[in-house]
Amino acid sequence: MLEPSHNNELPTIPGKRYFTIGEVAELCAVKAHVLRYWEQEFPQLSPVKRRGNRRYYQRADVITIRQIRSLLYDQGYTIGGAKQKLSSHEVKDDTSQYKQLIRQMITELEEVLEVLNAPVK
């Protein structure tokens, strides 16, 4: 069964290029087997596969996974409905996506500000 999220605040996406499936699972609050299933269901998800079929997700993949998670868990869409919504480009106009990106940017800017305001040793 689908589990509703009790915490709408997901962790900040670190500023790195590639993420392992375990890291993405933590960043998106879903289990690794769910991510592998979503790869089969959503053509938008195509992590890079290297060494022994290991998956490496990029930042855009993490954002897409968070969109899928929101559609399924928070907004109550079915897999089929979420597929339609993603493929019809309506998600690009969805304000929740922009709010999430803005929160991410604010957090990252606050971290930069802390570094800049730190006393010089």
Side-chain angles (χ1 to χ4, degrees), residues 1-6 29-31 33-34 69 72-74:
M1 300 279 330
L2 297 177
E3 298 175 16
S5 65
H6 298 289
V30 294
K31 296 187 178 181
H33 70 272
V34 172
R69 182 189 183 282
L72 296 175
Y73 293 0
D74 300 332

Side-chain angles (χ1 to χ4, degrees), residues 30-60:
V30 294
K31 296 187 178 181
H33 70 272
V34 172
L35 292 173
R36 289 189 291 270
Y37 174 70
W38 286 355
E39 283 175 30
Q40 296 171 0
E41 294 295 323
F42 296 92
Q44 296 89 341
L45 289 180
S46 56
V48 177
K49 290 190 181 176
R50 295 189 185 153
R51 292 181 258 134
N53 241 3
R54 288 184 156 215
R55 292 164 169 82
Y56 291 94
Y57 296 86
Q58 295 183 26
R59 186 181 199 84

Side-chain angles (χ1 to χ4, degrees), residues 12 99-113:
T12 303
K99 287 179 185 177
Q100 178 181 348
L101 289 172
I102 290 169
R103 279 196 303 268
Q104 173 78 31
M105 291 171 68
I106 289 170
T107 303
E108 290 175 4
L109 289 170
E110 287 172 344
E111 290 171 2
V112 168
L113 186 61

Side-chain angles (χ1 to χ4, degrees), residues 58-73:
Q58 295 183 26
R59 186 181 199 84
D61 294 322
V62 176
I63 292 170
T64 301
I65 291 165
R66 286 183 169 191
Q67 289 173 350
I68 293 169
R69 182 189 183 282
S70 174
L71 290 171
L72 296 175
Y73 293 0

